[in-house]
mmCIF file of all heavy atoms in Angstrom:
data_model
loop_
_atom_site.group_PDB
_atom_site.id
_atom_site.type_symbol
_atom_site.label_atom_id
_atom_site.label_comp_id
_atom_site.label_asym_id
_atom_site.label_seq_id
_atom_site.Cartn_x
_atom_site.Cartn_y
_atom_site.Cartn_z
ATOM 1 N N PHE N 1 1.746 -9.854 -0.850
ATOM 2 C CA PHE N 1 1.524 -10.707 -2.015
ATOM 3 C C PHE N 1 2.756 -11.569 -2.331
ATOM 4 O O PHE N 1 2.619 -12.727 -2.665
ATOM 5 C CB PHE N 1 1.181 -9.841 -3.242
ATOM 6 C CG PHE N 1 -0.125 -9.100 -3.151
ATOM 7 C CD1 PHE N 1 -0.326 -7.945 -3.883
ATOM 8 C CD2 PHE N 1 -1.169 -9.542 -2.325
ATOM 9 C CE1 PHE N 1 -1.516 -7.237 -3.796
ATOM 10 C CE2 PHE N 1 -2.347 -8.836 -2.207
ATOM 11 C CZ PHE N 1 -2.520 -7.699 -2.976
ATOM 12 N N THR N 2 3.931 -10.982 -2.148
ATOM 13 C CA THR N 2 5.155 -11.685 -2.441
ATOM 14 C C THR N 2 5.402 -12.821 -1.431
ATOM 15 O O THR N 2 5.825 -13.933 -1.801
ATOM 16 C CB THR N 2 6.349 -10.736 -2.433
ATOM 17 O OG1 THR N 2 6.126 -9.680 -3.397
ATOM 18 C CG2 THR N 2 7.644 -11.469 -2.786
ATOM 19 N N LEU N 3 5.111 -12.575 -0.129
ATOM 20 C CA LEU N 3 5.211 -13.640 0.870
ATOM 21 C C LEU N 3 4.319 -14.786 0.515
ATOM 22 O O LEU N 3 4.697 -15.975 0.668
ATOM 23 C CB LEU N 3 4.836 -13.073 2.261
ATOM 24 C CG LEU N 3 5.836 -12.156 2.909
ATOM 25 C CD1 LEU N 3 5.248 -11.559 4.185
ATOM 26 C CD2 LEU N 3 7.106 -12.887 3.230
ATOM 27 N N ALA N 4 3.091 -14.448 0.030
ATOM 28 C CA ALA N 4 2.152 -15.528 -0.378
ATOM 29 C C ALA N 4 2.688 -16.298 -1.574
ATOM 30 O O ALA N 4 2.705 -17.528 -1.619
ATOM 31 C CB ALA N 4 0.786 -14.927 -0.663
ATOM 32 N N ALA N 5 3.166 -15.522 -2.576
ATOM 33 C CA ALA N 5 3.556 -16.148 -3.851
ATOM 34 C C ALA N 5 4.837 -16.961 -3.753
ATOM 35 O O ALA N 5 4.981 -17.946 -4.482
ATOM 36 C CB ALA N 5 3.709 -15.060 -4.914
ATOM 37 N N ARG N 6 5.740 -16.577 -2.892
ATOM 38 C CA ARG N 6 7.064 -17.201 -2.883
ATOM 39 C C ARG N 6 7.312 -18.077 -1.667
ATOM 40 O O ARG N 6 8.194 -18.941 -1.702
ATOM 41 C CB ARG N 6 8.144 -16.126 -2.994
ATOM 42 C CG ARG N 6 8.053 -15.339 -4.287
ATOM 43 C CD ARG N 6 9.159 -14.315 -4.393
ATOM 44 N NE ARG N 6 8.989 -13.487 -5.594
ATOM 45 C CZ ARG N 6 9.807 -12.466 -5.938
ATOM 46 N NH1 ARG N 6 10.819 -12.160 -5.134
ATOM 47 N NH2 ARG N 6 9.578 -11.778 -7.012
ATOM 48 N N ASN N 7 6.574 -17.830 -0.573
ATOM 49 C CA ASN N 7 6.910 -18.519 0.667
ATOM 50 C C ASN N 7 5.807 -19.430 1.223
ATOM 51 O O ASN N 7 6.087 -20.550 1.624
ATOM 52 C CB ASN N 7 7.271 -17.518 1.766
ATOM 53 C CG ASN N 7 8.550 -16.757 1.497
ATOM 54 O OD1 ASN N 7 9.040 -16.766 0.389
ATOM 55 N ND2 ASN N 7 9.099 -16.146 2.522
ATOM 56 N N TYR N 8 4.590 -18.939 1.231
ATOM 57 C CA TYR N 8 3.594 -19.587 2.079
ATOM 58 C C TYR N 8 2.365 -20.163 1.411
ATOM 59 O O TYR N 8 1.529 -20.784 2.080
ATOM 60 C CB TYR N 8 3.146 -18.612 3.194
ATOM 61 C CG TYR N 8 4.289 -18.173 4.048
ATOM 62 C CD1 TYR N 8 4.616 -16.837 4.193
ATOM 63 C CD2 TYR N 8 5.093 -19.109 4.678
ATOM 64 C CE1 TYR N 8 5.678 -16.439 4.966
ATOM 65 C CE2 TYR N 8 6.159 -18.707 5.449
ATOM 66 C CZ TYR N 8 6.485 -17.377 5.627
ATOM 67 O OH TYR N 8 7.534 -16.992 6.395
ATOM 68 N N LEU N 9 2.214 -20.021 0.106
ATOM 69 C CA LEU N 9 1.134 -20.684 -0.602
ATOM 70 C C LEU N 9 1.662 -21.911 -1.287
ATOM 71 O O LEU N 9 2.725 -21.891 -1.902
ATOM 72 C CB LEU N 9 0.510 -19.730 -1.646
ATOM 73 C CG LEU N 9 -0.664 -18.862 -1.212
ATOM 74 C CD1 LEU N 9 -1.128 -18.001 -2.376
ATOM 75 C CD2 LEU N 9 -1.865 -19.688 -0.678
ATOM 76 N N ASP N 10 0.910 -23.004 -1.238
ATOM 77 C CA ASP N 10 1.200 -24.148 -2.102
ATOM 78 C C ASP N 10 1.160 -23.716 -3.568
ATOM 79 O O ASP N 10 0.429 -22.774 -3.921
ATOM 80 C CB ASP N 10 0.166 -25.254 -1.921
ATOM 81 C CG ASP N 10 0.237 -25.950 -0.557
ATOM 82 O OD1 ASP N 10 1.255 -25.773 0.148
ATOM 83 O OD2 ASP N 10 -0.728 -26.634 -0.207
ATOM 84 N N TYR N 11 1.908 -24.386 -4.423
ATOM 85 C CA TYR N 11 1.749 -24.142 -5.834
ATOM 86 C C TYR N 11 0.290 -24.418 -6.246
ATOM 87 O O TYR N 11 -0.287 -25.410 -5.903
ATOM 88 C CB TYR N 11 2.690 -25.044 -6.666
ATOM 89 C CG TYR N 11 4.151 -24.653 -6.515
ATOM 90 C CD1 TYR N 11 5.005 -25.429 -5.766
ATOM 91 C CD2 TYR N 11 4.638 -23.498 -7.138
ATOM 92 C CE1 TYR N 11 6.356 -25.061 -5.635
ATOM 93 C CE2 TYR N 11 5.964 -23.118 -7.010
ATOM 94 C CZ TYR N 11 6.817 -23.933 -6.250
ATOM 95 O OH TYR N 11 8.138 -23.544 -6.113
ATOM 96 N N GLY N 12 -0.269 -23.461 -6.914
ATOM 97 C CA GLY N 12 -1.695 -23.558 -7.268
ATOM 98 C C GLY N 12 -2.643 -23.096 -6.167
ATOM 99 O O GLY N 12 -3.871 -23.095 -6.343
ATOM 100 N N GLY N 13 -2.085 -22.672 -5.055
ATOM 101 C CA GLY N 13 -2.929 -22.216 -3.916
ATOM 102 C C GLY N 13 -3.554 -20.849 -4.174
ATOM 103 O O GLY N 13 -2.990 -20.035 -4.945
ATOM 104 N N LEU N 14 -4.666 -20.570 -3.521
ATOM 105 C CA LEU N 14 -5.440 -19.325 -3.792
ATOM 106 C C LEU N 14 -5.182 -18.303 -2.663
ATOM 107 O O LEU N 14 -5.007 -18.649 -1.497
ATOM 108 C CB LEU N 14 -6.940 -19.631 -3.819
ATOM 109 C CG LEU N 14 -7.446 -20.531 -4.950
ATOM 110 C CD1 LEU N 14 -8.975 -20.557 -4.924
ATOM 111 C CD2 LEU N 14 -6.953 -20.037 -6.341
ATOM 112 N N PHE N 15 -5.216 -17.065 -3.090
ATOM 113 C CA PHE N 15 -5.258 -15.923 -2.174
ATOM 114 C C PHE N 15 -6.532 -15.146 -2.493
ATOM 115 O O PHE N 15 -6.663 -14.594 -3.568
ATOM 116 C CB PHE N 15 -4.023 -15.045 -2.388
ATOM 117 C CG PHE N 15 -3.808 -13.989 -1.284
ATOM 118 C CD1 PHE N 15 -2.546 -13.426 -1.169
ATOM 119 C CD2 PHE N 15 -4.813 -13.599 -0.469
ATOM 120 C CE1 PHE N 15 -2.305 -12.447 -0.184
ATOM 121 C CE2 PHE N 15 -4.575 -12.636 0.519
ATOM 122 C CZ PHE N 15 -3.316 -12.061 0.646
ATOM 123 N N ILE N 16 -7.485 -15.196 -1.553
ATOM 124 C CA ILE N 16 -8.786 -14.535 -1.737
ATOM 125 C C ILE N 16 -8.876 -13.390 -0.744
ATOM 126 O O ILE N 16 -8.748 -13.643 0.486
ATOM 127 C CB ILE N 16 -9.944 -15.525 -1.502
ATOM 128 C CG1 ILE N 16 -9.819 -16.730 -2.431
ATOM 129 C CG2 ILE N 16 -11.294 -14.833 -1.652
ATOM 130 C CD1 ILE N 16 -10.768 -17.872 -2.116
ATOM 131 N N PHE N 17 -9.077 -12.191 -1.208
ATOM 132 C CA PHE N 17 -9.189 -11.071 -0.286
ATOM 133 C C PHE N 17 -10.197 -10.076 -0.830
ATOM 134 O O PHE N 17 -10.510 -10.000 -2.028
ATOM 135 C CB PHE N 17 -7.853 -10.369 -0.074
ATOM 136 C CG PHE N 17 -7.228 -9.793 -1.314
ATOM 137 C CD1 PHE N 17 -7.417 -8.448 -1.642
ATOM 138 C CD2 PHE N 17 -6.401 -10.556 -2.104
ATOM 139 C CE1 PHE N 17 -6.849 -7.903 -2.754
ATOM 140 C CE2 PHE N 17 -5.823 -9.996 -3.254
ATOM 141 C CZ PHE N 17 -6.043 -8.683 -3.577
ATOM 142 N N ASP N 18 -10.756 -9.249 0.075
ATOM 143 C CA ASP N 18 -11.690 -8.229 -0.352
ATOM 144 C C ASP N 18 -11.107 -6.832 -0.056
ATOM 145 O O ASP N 18 -10.185 -6.683 0.734
ATOM 146 C CB ASP N 18 -13.113 -8.402 0.259
ATOM 147 C CG ASP N 18 -13.138 -8.166 1.779
ATOM 148 O OD1 ASP N 18 -12.389 -7.315 2.284
ATOM 149 O OD2 ASP N 18 -13.973 -8.815 2.442
ATOM 150 N N LEU N 19 -11.679 -5.866 -0.701
ATOM 151 C CA LEU N 19 -11.271 -4.465 -0.577
ATOM 152 C C LEU N 19 -12.486 -3.557 -0.589
ATOM 153 O O LEU N 19 -13.389 -3.749 -1.436
ATOM 154 C CB LEU N 19 -10.328 -4.018 -1.699
ATOM 155 C CG LEU N 19 -8.932 -4.578 -1.763
ATOM 156 C CD1 LEU N 19 -8.337 -4.361 -3.136
ATOM 157 C CD2 LEU N 19 -8.040 -3.983 -0.699
ATOM 158 N N ASN N 20 -12.515 -2.557 0.280
ATOM 159 C CA ASN N 20 -13.453 -1.465 0.093
ATOM 160 C C ASN N 20 -13.004 -0.694 -1.154
ATOM 161 O O ASN N 20 -11.773 -0.499 -1.393
ATOM 162 C CB ASN N 20 -13.467 -0.525 1.290
ATOM 163 C CG ASN N 20 -14.310 -1.036 2.406
ATOM 164 O OD1 ASN N 20 -15.194 -1.845 2.231
ATOM 165 N ND2 ASN N 20 -14.020 -0.561 3.633
ATOM 166 N N THR N 21 -13.941 -0.198 -1.960
ATOM 167 C CA THR N 21 -13.605 0.496 -3.169
ATOM 168 C C THR N 21 -13.424 1.999 -3.002
ATOM 169 O O THR N 21 -13.867 2.572 -1.989
ATOM 170 C CB THR N 21 -14.687 0.229 -4.249
ATOM 171 O OG1 THR N 21 -15.896 0.839 -3.759
ATOM 172 C CG2 THR N 21 -14.870 -1.250 -4.488
ATOM 173 N N GLU N 22 -12.809 2.598 -3.991
ATOM 174 C CA GLU N 22 -12.705 4.078 -4.012
ATOM 175 C C GLU N 22 -14.101 4.678 -3.956
ATOM 176 O O GLU N 22 -14.295 5.729 -3.313
ATOM 177 C CB GLU N 22 -11.953 4.539 -5.238
ATOM 178 C CG GLU N 22 -10.523 4.123 -5.295
ATOM 179 C CD GLU N 22 -9.829 4.561 -6.554
ATOM 180 O OE1 GLU N 22 -9.529 5.784 -6.637
ATOM 181 O OE2 GLU N 22 -9.592 3.745 -7.433
ATOM 182 N N TYR N 23 -15.043 4.095 -4.673
ATOM 183 C CA TYR N 23 -16.413 4.614 -4.669
ATOM 184 C C TYR N 23 -16.984 4.671 -3.267
ATOM 185 O O TYR N 23 -17.592 5.676 -2.859
ATOM 186 C CB TYR N 23 -17.287 3.727 -5.554
ATOM 187 C CG TYR N 23 -18.789 4.107 -5.500
ATOM 188 C CD1 TYR N 23 -19.288 5.112 -6.340
ATOM 189 C CD2 TYR N 23 -19.644 3.450 -4.604
ATOM 190 C CE1 TYR N 23 -20.621 5.497 -6.259
ATOM 191 C CE2 TYR N 23 -20.965 3.793 -4.546
ATOM 192 C CZ TYR N 23 -21.482 4.803 -5.365
ATOM 193 O OH TYR N 23 -22.776 5.170 -5.286
ATOM 194 N N LYS N 24 -16.775 3.620 -2.497
ATOM 195 C CA LYS N 24 -17.309 3.591 -1.137
ATOM 196 C C LYS N 24 -16.723 4.697 -0.262
ATOM 197 O O LYS N 24 -17.441 5.343 0.484
ATOM 198 C CB LYS N 24 -17.040 2.202 -0.505
ATOM 199 C CG LYS N 24 -17.656 2.068 0.904
ATOM 200 C CD LYS N 24 -17.460 0.648 1.445
ATOM 201 C CE LYS N 24 -18.116 0.492 2.793
ATOM 202 N NZ LYS N 24 -17.988 -0.904 3.316
ATOM 203 N N TYR N 25 -15.393 4.844 -0.314
ATOM 204 C CA TYR N 25 -14.796 5.896 0.508
ATOM 205 C C TYR N 25 -15.245 7.273 0.044
ATOM 206 O O TYR N 25 -15.521 8.124 0.879
ATOM 207 C CB TYR N 25 -13.267 5.770 0.403
ATOM 208 C CG TYR N 25 -12.671 4.568 1.089
ATOM 209 C CD1 TYR N 25 -11.960 3.607 0.354
ATOM 210 C CD2 TYR N 25 -12.842 4.382 2.428
ATOM 211 C CE1 TYR N 25 -11.430 2.505 0.968
ATOM 212 C CE2 TYR N 25 -12.308 3.254 3.054
ATOM 213 C CZ TYR N 25 -11.573 2.324 2.352
ATOM 214 O OH TYR N 25 -11.071 1.221 2.957
ATOM 215 N N ARG N 26 -15.310 7.476 -1.228
ATOM 216 C CA ARG N 26 -15.613 8.799 -1.766
ATOM 217 C C ARG N 26 -17.097 9.170 -1.605
ATOM 218 O O ARG N 26 -17.409 10.283 -1.197
ATOM 219 C CB ARG N 26 -15.203 8.863 -3.217
ATOM 220 C CG ARG N 26 -15.325 10.247 -3.867
ATOM 221 C CD ARG N 26 -14.864 10.250 -5.282
ATOM 222 N NE ARG N 26 -15.704 9.376 -6.146
ATOM 223 C CZ ARG N 26 -15.260 8.260 -6.657
ATOM 224 N NH1 ARG N 26 -14.023 7.842 -6.444
ATOM 225 N NH2 ARG N 26 -16.056 7.522 -7.420
ATOM 226 N N GLU N 27 -17.988 8.223 -1.913
ATOM 227 C CA GLU N 27 -19.397 8.538 -2.023
ATOM 228 C C GLU N 27 -20.244 8.059 -0.793
ATOM 229 O O GLU N 27 -21.260 8.664 -0.514
ATOM 230 C CB GLU N 27 -20.015 7.874 -3.261
ATOM 231 C CG GLU N 27 -19.325 8.271 -4.568
ATOM 232 C CD GLU N 27 -19.512 9.718 -4.900
ATOM 233 O OE1 GLU N 27 -20.461 10.358 -4.391
ATOM 234 O OE2 GLU N 27 -18.664 10.257 -5.671
ATOM 235 N N ILE N 28 -19.765 7.057 -0.077
ATOM 236 C CA ILE N 28 -20.559 6.514 1.008
ATOM 237 C C ILE N 28 -20.023 6.922 2.369
ATOM 238 O O ILE N 28 -20.770 7.395 3.235
ATOM 239 C CB ILE N 28 -20.611 4.961 0.928
ATOM 240 C CG1 ILE N 28 -21.113 4.506 -0.455
ATOM 241 C CG2 ILE N 28 -21.502 4.409 2.026
ATOM 242 C CD1 ILE N 28 -22.483 4.994 -0.816
ATOM 243 N N LEU N 29 -18.723 6.777 2.616
ATOM 244 C CA LEU N 29 -18.126 7.033 3.898
ATOM 245 C C LEU N 29 -17.588 8.430 4.065
ATOM 246 O O LEU N 29 -17.716 9.035 5.151
ATOM 247 C CB LEU N 29 -17.007 6.030 4.190
ATOM 248 C CG LEU N 29 -17.379 4.578 4.363
ATOM 249 C CD1 LEU N 29 -16.174 3.724 4.613
ATOM 250 C CD2 LEU N 29 -18.377 4.403 5.495
ATOM 251 N N GLY N 30 -17.016 8.996 2.994
ATOM 252 C CA GLY N 30 -16.312 10.248 3.093
ATOM 253 C C GLY N 30 -17.094 11.372 3.748
ATOM 254 O O GLY N 30 -18.250 11.649 3.341
ATOM 255 N N GLU N 31 -16.533 12.018 4.759
ATOM 256 C CA GLU N 31 -17.121 13.137 5.463
ATOM 257 C C GLU N 31 -18.443 12.812 6.155
ATOM 258 O O GLU N 31 -19.232 13.684 6.461
ATOM 259 C CB GLU N 31 -17.376 14.327 4.507
ATOM 260 C CG GLU N 31 -16.139 14.697 3.666
ATOM 261 C CD GLU N 31 -14.951 14.977 4.479
ATOM 262 O OE1 GLU N 31 -15.056 15.669 5.528
ATOM 263 O OE2 GLU N 31 -13.833 14.477 4.150
ATOM 264 N N GLN N 32 -18.667 11.522 6.413
ATOM 265 C CA GLN N 32 -19.885 11.103 7.068
ATOM 266 C C GLN N 32 -19.600 10.760 8.539
ATOM 267 O O GLN N 32 -18.543 10.306 8.889
ATOM 268 C CB GLN N 32 -20.499 9.866 6.409
ATOM 269 C CG GLN N 32 -20.919 10.092 4.965
ATOM 270 C CD GLN N 32 -22.067 11.060 4.863
ATOM 271 O OE1 GLN N 32 -23.047 11.017 5.614
ATOM 272 N NE2 GLN N 32 -21.978 11.994 3.898
ATOM 273 N N THR N 33 -20.616 10.984 9.372
ATOM 274 C CA THR N 33 -20.538 10.583 10.802
ATOM 275 C C THR N 33 -21.612 9.549 11.061
ATOM 276 O O THR N 33 -22.783 9.764 10.733
ATOM 277 C CB THR N 33 -20.730 11.781 11.732
ATOM 278 O OG1 THR N 33 -19.683 12.748 11.512
ATOM 279 C CG2 THR N 33 -20.721 11.357 13.186
ATOM 280 N N ILE N 34 -21.205 8.444 11.610
ATOM 281 C CA ILE N 34 -22.112 7.331 11.927
ATOM 282 C C ILE N 34 -22.105 7.129 13.432
ATOM 283 O O ILE N 34 -21.044 7.111 14.057
ATOM 284 C CB ILE N 34 -21.670 6.051 11.214
ATOM 285 C CG1 ILE N 34 -21.594 6.263 9.709
ATOM 286 C CG2 ILE N 34 -22.601 4.858 11.553
ATOM 287 C CD1 ILE N 34 -20.882 5.171 8.962
ATOM 288 N N ALA N 35 -23.282 7.030 14.009
ATOM 289 C CA ALA N 35 -23.396 6.815 15.446
ATOM 290 C C ALA N 35 -24.384 5.730 15.772
ATOM 291 O O ALA N 35 -25.364 5.533 15.043
ATOM 292 C CB ALA N 35 -23.801 8.113 16.145
ATOM 293 N N GLU N 36 -24.068 4.957 16.824
ATOM 294 C CA GLU N 36 -24.987 3.912 17.208
ATOM 295 C C GLU N 36 -24.958 3.751 18.727
ATOM 296 O O GLU N 36 -23.888 3.879 19.360
ATOM 297 C CB GLU N 36 -24.600 2.561 16.563
ATOM 298 C CG GLU N 36 -25.642 1.485 16.777
ATOM 299 C CD GLU N 36 -25.438 0.289 15.892
ATOM 300 O OE1 GLU N 36 -24.765 0.414 14.853
ATOM 301 O OE2 GLU N 36 -25.965 -0.795 16.192
ATOM 302 N N ASN N 37 -26.094 3.555 19.322
ATOM 303 C CA ASN N 37 -26.237 3.471 20.786
ATOM 304 C C ASN N 37 -26.956 2.184 21.165
ATOM 305 O O ASN N 37 -28.023 1.936 20.691
ATOM 306 C CB ASN N 37 -26.980 4.692 21.324
ATOM 307 C CG ASN N 37 -27.006 4.708 22.831
ATOM 308 O OD1 ASN N 37 -26.046 4.322 23.488
ATOM 309 N ND2 ASN N 37 -28.152 5.116 23.399
ATOM 310 N N ARG N 38 -26.312 1.410 22.031
ATOM 311 C CA ARG N 38 -26.899 0.205 22.567
ATOM 312 C C ARG N 38 -26.618 0.128 24.061
ATOM 313 O O ARG N 38 -25.747 0.839 24.564
ATOM 314 C CB ARG N 38 -26.350 -1.059 21.864
ATOM 315 C CG ARG N 38 -26.566 -1.054 20.369
ATOM 316 C CD ARG N 38 -26.246 -2.401 19.766
ATOM 317 N NE ARG N 38 -26.249 -2.396 18.313
ATOM 318 C CZ ARG N 38 -26.133 -3.495 17.562
ATOM 319 N NH1 ARG N 38 -25.914 -4.667 18.152
ATOM 320 N NH2 ARG N 38 -26.138 -3.401 16.253
ATOM 321 N N ASP N 39 -27.309 -0.791 24.758
ATOM 322 C CA ASP N 39 -27.090 -0.895 26.199
ATOM 323 C C ASP N 39 -25.642 -1.261 26.520
ATOM 324 O O ASP N 39 -25.054 -0.758 27.498
ATOM 325 C CB ASP N 39 -28.035 -1.953 26.794
ATOM 326 C CG ASP N 39 -29.470 -1.506 26.806
ATOM 327 O OD1 ASP N 39 -29.711 -0.279 26.720
ATOM 328 O OD2 ASP N 39 -30.345 -2.378 26.920
ATOM 329 N N GLU N 40 -25.053 -2.133 25.694
ATOM 330 C CA GLU N 40 -23.702 -2.613 25.975
ATOM 331 C C GLU N 40 -22.635 -1.549 25.676
ATOM 332 O O GLU N 40 -21.506 -1.627 26.157
ATOM 333 C CB GLU N 40 -23.389 -3.861 25.194
ATOM 334 C CG GLU N 40 -24.306 -5.035 25.501
ATOM 335 C CD GLU N 40 -25.571 -5.051 24.627
ATOM 336 O OE1 GLU N 40 -25.911 -4.023 24.063
ATOM 337 O OE2 GLU N 40 -26.165 -6.141 24.490
ATOM 338 N N GLY N 41 -22.970 -0.621 24.816
ATOM 339 C CA GLY N 41 -22.004 0.401 24.457
ATOM 340 C C GLY N 41 -22.520 1.253 23.300
ATOM 341 O O GLY N 41 -23.531 0.931 22.698
ATOM 342 N N SER N 42 -21.820 2.278 23.040
ATOM 343 C CA SER N 42 -22.167 3.158 21.922
ATOM 344 C C SER N 42 -20.890 3.672 21.245
ATOM 345 O O SER N 42 -19.829 3.622 21.809
ATOM 346 C CB SER N 42 -23.022 4.338 22.388
ATOM 347 O OG SER N 42 -22.291 5.106 23.299
#
């Protein structure tokens, strides 16, 4: 964030980013196993 704010963003420039939430890790992904099989790979 500091590199963006002080070095590499124009004044007034935007930093747009996304994050997975705590809810997703705790309730959706946590302790889960996901598997997928296709011809190209699995």
Side-chain angles (χ1 to χ4, degrees):
F1 294 156
T2 303
L3 286 173
R6 299 182 184 177
N7 293 16
Y8 299 124
L9 269 179
D10 291 345
Y11 289 106
L14 295 187
F15 192 161
I16 303 169
F17 61 94
D18 69 32
L19 290 164
N20 280 338
T21 63
E22 294 179 74
Y23 173 85
K24 182 175 182 178
Y25 290 119
R26 186 179 62 249
E27 303 295 337
I28 306 300
L29 293 179
E31 310 305 316
Q32 297 295 316
T33 298
I34 302 167
E36 188 166 341
N37 184 38
R38 302 192 187 186
D39 289 340
E40 299 90 338
S42 61

